[in-house]
């Protein structure tokens, strides 16, 4: 099914290409949040199992994909900027559910802490609250290649690390996509990594404890970069957290093989379809003396 496309203006500053996969029988809408260097195309497999039950919205950030022709200022934006864009889109589409992938989890958690009125649940995939040794190594190597605009090595790095469990066909598509981006997209990723490594893009305990809807953290059991064990650390800071493990899957989950796709389908549909309610939390201004936890 071809989506309805639109360009949504954000705070008179950014214009964002969106894709709306409508389902006339659905009463709920899921908004999808990309990882770094990704576009709406990365959610092709995900839309296949969500759209039969829900309306689905995907979007490209202003510097990426089909949003690029509508924007002229490609100064790198922060994760706080990305969270503001996400909040505007949640409101625009009246989304009830959110699903993020990888580094899209940073902006998603920041947005969720603002308690968007329509949102009822969120699934945070391939994400963890810490930068472990394999992730730090990946990011440090990425900084060198991104700073040099070494296109081929950037793509090879992605495919040999977080993408190492992808099928060969997907690796070829991934290499072509990552190695042919515009220079400003590499600058954006470089700025993002620097922000994370300098702990400027961290999500504080105040942020985590402000989230008042159920969260599902989904990780692959073969993902050493955002591992199952690391993701479970969120349980120490979020009261309404659930966890799911996708068997024999790495970082890219439903893209890696059919069994992982089927398990992702079952896990996410079960979560979104189960009844739930918001937690009764104190007002955001009443949260005090909370320590920071890095993402």
């Amino acid at each position: 099914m071809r989506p309805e496309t639109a360009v949504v203006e954000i705070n008179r500053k950014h214009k964002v290409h969106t894709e709306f996969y409508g389902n006339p029988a659905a009463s709920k809408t899921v908004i999808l949040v990309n990882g770094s260097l990704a576009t709406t195309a990365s959610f092709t497999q995900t839309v296949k199992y969500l759209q039969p039950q829900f309306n689905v919205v995907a979007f490209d950030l202003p510097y990426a994909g089909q949003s690029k022709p509508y924007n002229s200022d490609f100064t790198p934006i922060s994760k706080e900027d990305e969270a503001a864009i996400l909040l505007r889109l949640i409101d625009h589409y009246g989304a009830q559910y959110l699903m993020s992938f990888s580094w899209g989890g940073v902006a998603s958690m920041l947005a969720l802490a603002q308690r968007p009125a329509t949102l009822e649940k969120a699934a945070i995939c391939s994400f963890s609250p810490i930068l472990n040794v394999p992730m730090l190594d990946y990011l440090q190597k990425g900084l060198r290649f991104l700073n040099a605009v070494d296109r081929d090595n950037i793509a090879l790095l992605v495919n040999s690390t977080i993408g190492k469990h992808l099928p060969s066909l997907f690796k070829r598509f991934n290499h072509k996509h990552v190695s042919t981006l515009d220079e400003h997209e590499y600058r954006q990723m470089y700025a993002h990594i620097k922000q994370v490594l300098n702990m400027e893009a961290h999500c504080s305990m105040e942020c985590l404890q402000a989230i008042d809807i159920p969260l599902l953290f989904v990780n692959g059991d073969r993902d050493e970069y955002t591992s199952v064990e690391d993701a479970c650390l969120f349980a120490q800071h979020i009261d309404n957290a659930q966890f799911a493990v996708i068997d024999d899957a790495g970082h890219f989950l439903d893209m890696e093989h059919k069994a992982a796709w089927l398990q992702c389908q079952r896990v996410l549909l079960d979560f979104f379809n189960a009844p739930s309610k918001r937690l009764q939390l104190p007002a955001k201004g009443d949260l005090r003396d909370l320590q920071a936890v890095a993402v």
Side-chain angles (χ1 to χ4, degrees):
M1 179 179 179
R2 294 182 64 83
E4 298 176 23
T5 62
V7 177
V8 179
E9 187 170 13
I10 311 292
N11 300 329
R12 299 183 179 180
K13 184 177 181 182
H14 301 297
K15 293 181 179 178
V16 174
H17 165 86
T18 65
E19 298 178 359
F20 180 80
Y21 295 83
N23 179 340
S27 60
K28 304 287 187 178
T29 298
V30 184
I31 188 165
L32 306 177
V33 186
N34 286 322
S36 293
L37 301 181
T39 67
T40 57
S42 67
F43 279 122
T44 300
Q45 299 300 316
T46 308
V47 170
K48 288 179 182 178
Y49 57 76
L50 290 180
Q51 195 272 335
Q53 293 201 26
F54 308 109
N55 301 308
V56 181
V57 176
F59 66 95
D60 287 333
L61 284 162
Y63 56 81
Q66 296 182 74
S67 289
K68 288 189 288 188
Y70 303 102
N71 296 277
S72 56
D73 180 5
F74 293 123
T75 303
I77 63 177
S78 69
K79 285 299 161 186
E80 291 76 15
D81 295 327
E82 292 188 12
I85 290 168
L86 178 55
L87 285 166
R88 174 71 179 89
L89 294 175
I90 290 170
D91 180 66
H92 181 81
Y93 285 100
Q96 288 82 22
Y97 304 145
L98 177 149
M99 177 183 168
S100 69
F101 173 71
S102 194
W103 287 107
V106 181
S108 295
M109 301 289 273
L110 292 171
L112 294 176
Q114 299 300 311
R115 302 179 189 170
T118 63
L119 214 60
E120 300 173 8
K121 298 181 182 182
I124 310 296
C125 302
S126 297
F127 188 66
S128 78
I130 66 169
L131 301 175
N132 62 17
V133 172
M135 179 61 82
L136 283 170
D137 182 65
Y138 165 64
L139 295 178
Q140 295 286 3
K141 290 177 180 175
L143 278 181
R144 296 200 303 272
F145 296 143
L146 289 163
N147 189 47
V149 193
D150 187 342
R151 298 173 182 276
D152 193 54
N153 271 322
I154 294 168
L156 289 172
L157 177 66
V158 172
N159 275 343
S160 65
T161 54
I162 60 173
K164 64 185 177 181
H165 298 298
L166 284 169
S168 57
L169 178 62
F170 279 38
K171 282 187 177 181
R172 289 198 294 273
F173 287 148
N174 213 28
H175 189 282
K176 182 178 180 180
H177 169 70
V178 173
S179 65
T180 57
L181 295 172
D182 293 335
E183 284 196 25
H184 74 261
E185 293 176 87
Y186 298 128
R187 291 197 302 271
Q188 172 65 46
M189 184 57 180
Y190 180 89
H192 177 198
I193 294 175
K194 291 287 285 188
Q195 193 180 20
V196 169
L197 292 176
N198 291 334
M199 299 301 186
E200 295 173 3
H202 69 280
C203 188
S204 68
M205 280 291 293
E206 180 175 357
C207 165
L208 296 178
Q209 292 198 357
I211 297 172
D212 62 346
I213 60 173
L215 299 184
L216 173 68
F217 294 95
V218 184
N219 297 79
D221 69 352
R222 301 177 72 189
D223 182 5
E224 62 194 278
Y225 299 91
T226 54
S227 72
V228 171
E229 294 76 16
D230 291 344
C232 286
L233 295 174
F234 276 120
Q236 300 174 13
H237 311 293
I238 298 175
D239 291 331
N240 205 351
Q242 303 173 44
F243 299 87
V245 179
I246 305 302
D247 300 328
D248 195 31
H251 193 74
F252 282 89
L253 300 177
D254 60 16
M255 298 174 66
E256 295 186 351
H257 54 82
K258 184 62 178 291
W261 186 93
L262 289 169
Q263 192 176 359
C264 285
Q265 176 189 44
R266 183 173 67 254
V267 163
L268 289 162
L269 293 181
D270 286 350
F271 173 67
F272 286 139
N273 284 323
S276 66
K277 62 180 181 180
R278 287 178 177 267
L279 294 174
Q280 296 299 311
L281 296 180
K284 285 178 285 184
D286 293 337
L287 297 168
R288 295 287 186 269
D289 301 324
L290 299 171
Q291 298 176 344
V293 58
V295 296

